[in-house]
């Protein structure tokens, strides 16, 4: 059931043509019941080449062969989702208090949203919360965060596909990074192991890419919707895969993108793909391990996208309620 | 093969080999876990305490690459036990090593007494208040033990564990306590260097568990007071010892480890600032304690359960030549000018929860006596309890008087219709310590 629906939702990236390019406008999403806001950047539709050329320095085989993708316009978060916002979702009490200070927001509709269990250890690992990217959430938790956003705002938000993520990261460029090929320039655009001092940083401190998105390279890696297959592009090239993304059917590995504060420059390249791994939950001593918290992935966060066309309620419901894989 | 016969000798010596019970043959099978699968070397394990951590520990035991078999499980509650049985059987490969028919599932307050005799190794993962009596029983019956921290909730409990720890030493029973930083590569490497003098003498420090809170299980209709407290054990001192004991012990224990000793006194402050509802039982939501060691070193400890505030679970120490910047993901020793002395990047380090089981079961399989964690576990538990005594009373508490305290939090009788010592008032609120009035020693 989920597969059909997701193809429906996501195929709009390829088939939704009713919308002229450039008609989307960037906007700021207010978070009702709080003083928080989340900025969404309108991205134009267009064709792009996904993957990296064989000659790119640091390139891995899973980034090829390069292939053309047709993208429709969509919105993407200008910044990674921060703890400020994520904590409201994760801690119901915090949200209640925020709502009490901002009268007029109806908490009752939030009651049906599934929320994370309290983490046993501090998931920021002392790297800071206010203005800093939320980390260590599972892909399942990131999807449920989107469900929470929908319940609050009525706007359908979801995780980006790998294709959407790379399209947004490249922002019209074809070089290794959105600013060119020279890793020496990384310091202006990204937090990575060469300048992070061993911790993530507040979002948005570095220069944005050409489309105005910050921290697409570095700071924290970002969840996508896709199951990670090393040979996915090869299958696409052979025509064995028609869908624009790989739906998740098993727990590991899923695809994250963008590199982090803890990575070498090569991992931050626009085309670089990282598979999730069981070791990301290593420090969870419980059985079964949490569906909500990774515990050992202080380098993984996310940002959300909004497709131009809102899917049906049924499709949305299916998207927000994926079959719960054990230890997701 | 020689290992095997040695092991049997060892088991005989330590009184573990009874009848032919150990000589069960397990079929050999291809395994991604790489188990030793020769006959006759089965290590039989009883799981006592079926919560998330107990289930986790049992699975880690099964993954320890030794020929481990779970032969009995015990819990106060049938639903918790059934849930654990299900979890243990979820991985088909590991499930082959779960051999727990109905007659070896034990429920109730005395379940542990029935499970312990059936095992070579006992996993104790109930709420910590039960640890002293269960550890005592396991040692009495000559069992190796993995037990979770903390190992008690009051001074009489600590003394029982210390006495049983002595017995365990005499009997050469391996005891691992789930203070897993002792099995975590970055802590081992960093503290080895500190002990070797990389930072000079350690003369101060701070240890932290400031974070959000944990689960709450509000009272259900038809629960007796005993059942309510047992289900919601985190918020009652006879079961949990307060969060300074249950969680923050990890960081306090690191201070003791670094200082190679235990504090001689403590004073501190604490209270309930945020978590004031009746559903939170009697424990505080914050404690700040100054621990003073024999050489005068002062280590400050902070623990807090506040949602939406600064978080930090880490330890920092200052030495005459340098300091520990962090034990976190990137562990760093620096000199006082900021220059790096040693950096340990944890990438690729093993899982400390798995390592503690791997090492324990490897030692048992090889007939080695390698682990006597119970004494340190008891004294670090006592350190945390001494912190609680200080914040609850508002007085300076000295180690000797704390350890010799006869304040016993444990109920006089364990039964579903028996009464714990701390009870709610007519409005459902529990009495909470008042510094300056409450007596804790």
């Amino acid at each position: 059931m989920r597969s059909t629906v997701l193809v429906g939702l996501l195929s709009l990236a390829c088939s939704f043509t009713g919308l002229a390019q450039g008609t989307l406008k960037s906007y700021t999403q207010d978070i009702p019941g709080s003083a928080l806001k989340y900025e969404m950047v309108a991205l134009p539709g267009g064709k792009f080449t996904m993957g990296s050329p064989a000659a790119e320095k640091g390139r891995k085989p899973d980034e090829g062969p390069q292939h053309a993708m047709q993208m429709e316009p969509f919105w993407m978060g200008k910044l990674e989702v921060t703890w400020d916002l994520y904590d409201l979702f994760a801690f119901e009490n915090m949200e209640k208090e925020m709502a009490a200070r901002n009268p007029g927001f109806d908490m009752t509709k939030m009651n049906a949203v599934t929320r994370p269990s309290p983490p046993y250890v501090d998931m920021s690992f002392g790297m800071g919360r206010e203005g800093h990217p939320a980390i260590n959430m599972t892909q399942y938790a990131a999807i449920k965060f989107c469900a929470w956003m929908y319940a609050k705002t009525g706007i359908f938000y979801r995780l980006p596909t790998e294709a959407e993520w790379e399209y947004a990261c490249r922002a019209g460029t074809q070089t290794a990074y959105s600013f060119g090929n020279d890793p020496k320039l990384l310091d202006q655009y990204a937090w990575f192991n060469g300048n992070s001092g061993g911790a993530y940083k507040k979002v948005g401190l570095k220069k944005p890419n050409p489309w105005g998105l910050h921290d697409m390279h570095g700071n924290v890696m970002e969840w996508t919707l896709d199951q990670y297959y090393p040979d996915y592009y090869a299958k696409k090239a052979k025509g064995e895969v028609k869908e624009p993304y790989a739906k998740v059917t098993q727990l590991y590995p899923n695809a994250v993108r963008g590199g982090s504060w803890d990575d070498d420059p090569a991992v931050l390249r626009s085309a670089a793909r990282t598979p999730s791994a069981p070791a990301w939950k290593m420090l969870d001593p419980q059985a079964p391990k949490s569906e909500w918290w990774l515990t050992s992935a202080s380098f993984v966060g996310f940002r959300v996208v909004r497709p131009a066309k809102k899917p049906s309620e049924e499709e949305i419901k299916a998207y927000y309620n994926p079959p719960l894989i054990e230890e997701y | 093969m020689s290992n095997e016969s040695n092991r049997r000798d060892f088991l005989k010596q330590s009184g573990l080999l009874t009848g032919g019970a150990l000589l069960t043959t397990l079929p050999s099978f291809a395994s991604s876990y790489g188990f030793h699968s020769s006959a006759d070397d089965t290590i039989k394990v009883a799981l006592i305490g079926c919560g998330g951590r107990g289930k986790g520990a049992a699975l880690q035991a099964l993954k320890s690459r030794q020929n481990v078999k779970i032969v009995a499980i015990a819990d106060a509650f049938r639903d918790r036990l059934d849930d654990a049985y299900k979890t243990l059987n979820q991985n088909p490969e590991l499930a082959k090593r779960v051999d727990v028919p109905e007659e070896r599932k034990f429920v109730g307050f005395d379940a542990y007494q029935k499970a312990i005799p059936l095992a070579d190794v006992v996993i104790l993962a109930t709420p910590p208040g039960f640890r002293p009596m269960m550890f005592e029983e396991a040692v009495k019956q000559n069992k190796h033990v993995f037990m979770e921290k903390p190992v008690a909730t009051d001074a009489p409990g600590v003394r029982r564990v210390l006495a049983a720890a002595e017995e365990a030493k005499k009997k050469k029973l391996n005891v691992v306590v789930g203070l897993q930083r002792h099995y975590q590569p970055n802590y081992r490497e960093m503290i080895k260097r500190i002990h070797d003098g990389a930072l000079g003498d350690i003369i101060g420090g701070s240890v932290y568990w400031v974070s959000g809170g944990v689960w709450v299980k509000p009272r259900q209709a038809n629960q007796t007071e005993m059942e309510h407290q047992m289900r919601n054990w985190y918020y009652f001192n006879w079961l949990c010892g307060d969060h300074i004991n249950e969680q923050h012990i990890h960081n306090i224990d690191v201070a003791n480890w670094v200082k190679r000793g235990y504090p001689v006194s403590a004073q501190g402050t604490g209270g309930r600032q945020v978590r004031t509802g009746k559903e939170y039982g009697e424990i505080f939501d914050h404690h700040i304690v100054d621990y003073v060691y024999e050489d005068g070193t002062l280590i400050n400890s902070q623990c807090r359960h506040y949602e939406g505030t600064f978080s930090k679970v880490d330890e920092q120490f200052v030495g005459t030549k340098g300091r520990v910047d962090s034990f976190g993901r990137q562990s760093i020793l620096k000199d006082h000018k900021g220059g790096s002395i040693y950096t340990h990047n944890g990438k690729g380090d093993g899982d400390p929860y798995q390592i503690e089981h791997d090492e324990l079961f490897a030692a048992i399989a090889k007939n080695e006596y390698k682990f006597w964690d119970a004494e340190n576990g008891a004294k670090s538990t006592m350190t945390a309890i001494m912190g609680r005594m200080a914040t609850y009373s508002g007085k300076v508490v000295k180690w000797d008087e704390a350890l010799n305290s006869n304040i016993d939090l444990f109920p006089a009788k364990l039964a579903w219709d028996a009464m714990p010592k701390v009870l709610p008032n007519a409005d459902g609120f529990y009495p909470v310590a008042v510094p300056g009035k409450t007596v804790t020693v």
Side-chain angles (χ1 to χ4, degrees):
Chain A
M1 184 180 76
R2 188 180 171 213
S3 61
T4 342
V5 171
L6 278 186
V7 171
L9 284 184
L10 298 163
S11 60
L12 66 89
C14 290
S15 64
F16 184 66
T17 51
L19 197 74
Q21 285 188 17
T23 55
L24 300 186
K25 283 202 174 103
S26 299
Y27 66 99
T28 299
Q29 177 65 62
D30 289 324
I31 310 299
S34 82
L36 299 174
K37 295 173 189 304
Y38 189 71
E39 287 182 76
M40 297 297 293
V41 177
L43 306 183
K47 212 174 213 179
F48 92 109
T49 303
M50 189 167 181
S52 58
E56 189 169 295
K57 209 181 161 201
R59 186 237 205 203
K60 291 190 172 159
D62 66 354
E63 297 167 24
Q66 287 183 294
H67 53 283
M69 292 289 290
Q70 177 66 44
M71 309 300 288
E72 293 303 322
F74 62 98
W75 289 273
M76 188 181 226
K78 179 180 174 181
L79 302 164
E80 290 156 346
V81 170
T82 60
W83 284 115
D84 310 68
L85 193 47
Y86 196 77
D87 280 347
L88 281 194
F89 154 65
F91 299 106
E92 195 173 357
N93 288 340
M94 272 178 65
E95 190 186 15
K96 278 183 188 158
E97 287 187 21
M98 280 288 249
R101 271 183 261 151
N102 294 273
F105 179 67
D106 179 11
M107 271 301 290
T108 55
K109 64 182 172 187
M110 305 311 299
N111 294 345
V113 178
T114 318
R115 295 175 192 256
S117 49
Y120 187 72
V121 295
D122 161 32
M123 288 296 164
S124 71
F125 287 91
M127 294 192 287
R129 280 188 117 83
E130 281 175 15
H132 292 81
I135 52 165
N136 264 322
M137 76 293 292
T138 59
Q139 188 193 46
Y140 178 77
I143 290 170
K144 287 296 183 186
F145 171 87
C146 296
W148 174 84
M149 286 278 280
Y150 180 55
K152 283 192 94 73
T153 65
I155 307 283
F156 175 68
Y157 291 103
R158 62 165 166 79
L159 293 176
T161 64
E162 271 203 87
E164 286 167 340
W165 193 95
E166 185 171 329
Y167 177 66
C169 178
R170 290 188 172 282
T173 68
Q174 289 181 295
T175 43
Y177 306 96
S178 59
F179 52 81
N181 287 316
D182 186 359
K184 286 197 190 88
L185 298 176
L186 260 183
D187 188 48
Q188 297 175 39
Y189 294 89
W191 297 107
F192 65 113
N193 65 5
N195 65 2
S196 71
Y200 61 40
K201 296 291 185 294
K202 282 191 177 178
V203 298
L205 293 180
K206 294 290 186 183
K207 285 186 190 171
N209 77 1
W211 286 350
L213 302 166
H214 294 263
D215 301 310
M216 293 297 284
H217 307 296
N219 212 20
V220 294
M221 294 184 175
E222 298 174 11
W223 276 118
T224 70
L225 260 187
D226 294 48
Q227 190 94 58
Y228 169 87
Y229 295 109
D231 58 350
Y232 199 63
Y233 297 2
K235 284 187 173 165
K236 272 191 191 174
K238 283 184 204 152
E240 291 171 21
V241 178
K242 297 281 189 287
E243 294 81 12
Y245 78 107
K247 71 184 171 85
V248 169
T249 57
Q250 57 190 29
L251 183 52
Y252 298 111
N254 298 330
V256 295
R257 289 302 206 103
S260 80
W261 60 269
D262 199 21
D263 287 308
D264 293 331
V267 185
L268 274 63
R269 290 174 304 106
S270 301
R273 309 171 66 205
T274 301
S276 65
W280 293 8
K281 280 191 180 177
M282 193 169 77
L283 286 181
D284 184 347
Q286 312 264 334
K289 290 177 189 290
S290 170
E291 280 113 20
W292 297 100
W293 300 102
L294 291 170
T295 70
S296 306
S298 55
F299 43 83
V300 174
F302 71 108
R303 74 180 80 206
V304 300
V305 297
R306 173 186 172 187
K309 184 187 170 194
K310 185 178 173 181
S312 73
E313 279 304 315
E314 195 191 339
E315 290 167 330
I316 290 174
K317 207 171 156 190
Y319 171 75
Y320 288 147
N321 296 287
L324 183 53
I325 304 170
E326 181 71 32
E327 297 195 349
Y328 200 131
Chain B
M1 288 298 109
S2 63
N3 271 356
E4 219 174 287
S5 53
N6 285 346
R7 178 165 181 276
R8 282 202 291 272
D9 291 343
F10 174 68
L11 289 171
K12 250 183 224 162
Q13 278 164 18
S14 42
L16 285 173
L17 193 59
T18 48
L22 271 173
L23 307 178
T24 319
T25 304
L26 263 187
S28 134
F29 54 88
S31 162
S32 60
Y33 291 105
F35 296 116
H36 297 207
S37 56
S38 56
D40 298 350
D41 66 348
T42 312
I43 302 170
K44 295 189 294 178
V45 173
L47 167 63
I48 298 168
C50 289
R53 184 59 200 123
K55 290 181 285 187
L59 289 175
Q60 283 140 10
L62 288 175
K63 290 176 187 170
S64 70
R65 296 173 184 270
Q66 308 303 328
N67 208 346
V68 168
K69 202 169 166 187
I70 309 282
V71 298
I73 54 178
D75 198 275
F77 295 107
R78 180 75 211 196
D79 59 315
R80 305 287 282 178
L81 184 143
D82 288 341
D83 179 55
Y85 184 72
K86 201 175 132 201
T87 302
L88 293 177
N89 281 288
Q90 252 155 12
N91 176 323
E93 197 174 315
L94 298 179
K96 291 175 187 168
R97 290 169 177 266
V98 178
D99 178 19
V100 189
E102 194 57 31
E103 62 270 24
R104 293 205 292 269
K105 295 175 181 170
F106 303 105
V107 175
F109 287 107
D110 61 349
Y112 74 104
Q113 290 169 333
K114 298 169 186 161
I116 288 173
L118 304 175
D120 304 317
V121 183
V122 180
I123 294 174
L124 301 179
T126 63
F130 296 115
R131 205 83 75 244
M133 71 182 193
M134 292 180 179
F135 179 56
E136 225 167 42
E137 183 69 16
V139 172
K140 193 171 147 198
Q141 298 203 28
N142 306 314
K143 309 303 182 187
H144 302 281
V145 173
F146 171 82
M147 59 176 166
E148 261 309 329
K149 41 45 67 175
V151 301
T153 60
D154 57 18
V158 169
R159 295 198 299 271
R160 288 174 76 174
V161 173
L162 283 171
E166 280 303 303
E167 278 301 299
K169 254 190 209 174
K170 282 183 203 152
K171 291 178 169 180
K172 297 194 172 175
L173 299 169
N174 285 294
V175 180
V176 165
V177 172
L179 289 162
Q180 78 284 346
R181 284 166 176 75
H182 290 271
Y183 298 84
Q184 189 166 328
N186 66 317
Y187 278 87
R188 286 175 159 180
E189 292 299 316
M190 297 264 287
I191 292 180
K192 181 176 170 288
R193 283 166 176 79
I194 294 169
H195 287 169
D196 288 346
L199 303 181
D201 295 329
I202 298 296
I203 53 173
S206 296
V207 297
Y208 307 87
W209 192 301
V210 293
S211 194
V214 298
W215 47 265
V216 184
K217 291 177 185 162
R219 188 185 295 275
Q220 303 295 310
N222 303 324
Q223 278 178 337
T224 64
E225 182 60 26
M226 181 64 84
E227 179 173 0
H228 171 68
Q229 294 198 12
M230 290 277 286
R231 293 272 186 195
N232 215 28
W233 63 269
Y234 207 96
Y235 299 100
F236 297 95
N237 281 326
W238 71 276
L239 288 160
C240 163
D242 206 322
H243 66 113
I244 188 175
N245 189 44
E246 210 283 329
Q247 284 184 320
H248 190 36
I249 184 178
H250 282 298
N251 321 99
I252 291 170
D253 170 65
V254 171
N256 293 341
W257 186 10
V258 165
K259 284 301 294 177
R260 287 188 275 199
Y262 302 90
V264 293
S265 70
Q267 79 80 31
T269 191
R272 284 160 73 100
Q273 172 69 25
V274 169
R275 201 167 50 190
T276 54
K278 62 182 92 167
E279 67 271 36
Y280 303 115
E282 60 174 330
I283 71 170
F284 279 6
D285 59 17
H286 66 282
H287 305 254
I288 297 180
V289 181
D290 284 340
Y291 287 108
V292 179
Y293 288 73
E294 199 162 12
D295 63 0
T297 299
L298 191 150
I299 306 281
N300 181 263
S301 114
Q302 290 185 33
C303 60
R304 182 174 75 198
H305 277 176
Y306 295 175
E307 285 178 4
T309 60
F310 170 73
S311 296
K312 180 169 179 153
V313 177
D314 205 353
E315 303 86 17
Q316 287 169 337
F317 300 98
V318 182
T320 48
K321 290 191 208 159
R323 61 191 171 86
V324 176
D325 199 55
S326 168
F327 276 101
R329 184 177 161 76
Q330 287 203 329
S331 312
I332 301 165
L333 302 181
K334 283 183 176 168
D335 65 31
H336 287 310
K337 289 180 178 166
S340 170
I341 294 175
Y342 173 69
T343 299
H344 185 99
N345 186 324
K347 266 187 189 171
D349 280 354
D351 170 356
Y353 298 99
Q354 190 58 50
I355 293 171
E356 63 190 3
H357 283 83
D358 289 348
E359 295 190 0
L360 171 65
F361 283 95
I364 293 169
K366 284 188 210 152
N367 310 334
E368 290 174 352
Y369 176 51
K370 279 182 77 174
F371 300 104
W372 41 87
D373 291 1
E375 183 182 338
N376 174 65
K379 288 182 176 171
S380 279
T381 298
M382 191 63 236
T383 313
I385 291 171
M386 182 165 76
R388 185 190 74 216
M389 289 169 164
T391 60
Y392 278 21
S393 67
K395 314 267 192 207
V396 175
V397 179
K398 295 196 183 307
W399 176 268
D400 290 341
E401 62 183 12
L403 181 58
N404 291 318
S405 162
N406 283 322
I407 295 179
D408 181 346
L409 306 177
F410 210 71
K413 186 185 167 198
L414 287 177
W416 295 119
D417 57 356
M419 282 298 174
K421 287 179 178 169
V422 168
L423 299 171
N425 67 15
D427 299 323
F429 285 90
Y430 291 85
V432 172
V434 181
K437 291 184 181 166
T438 298
V439 173
T440 56
V441 174

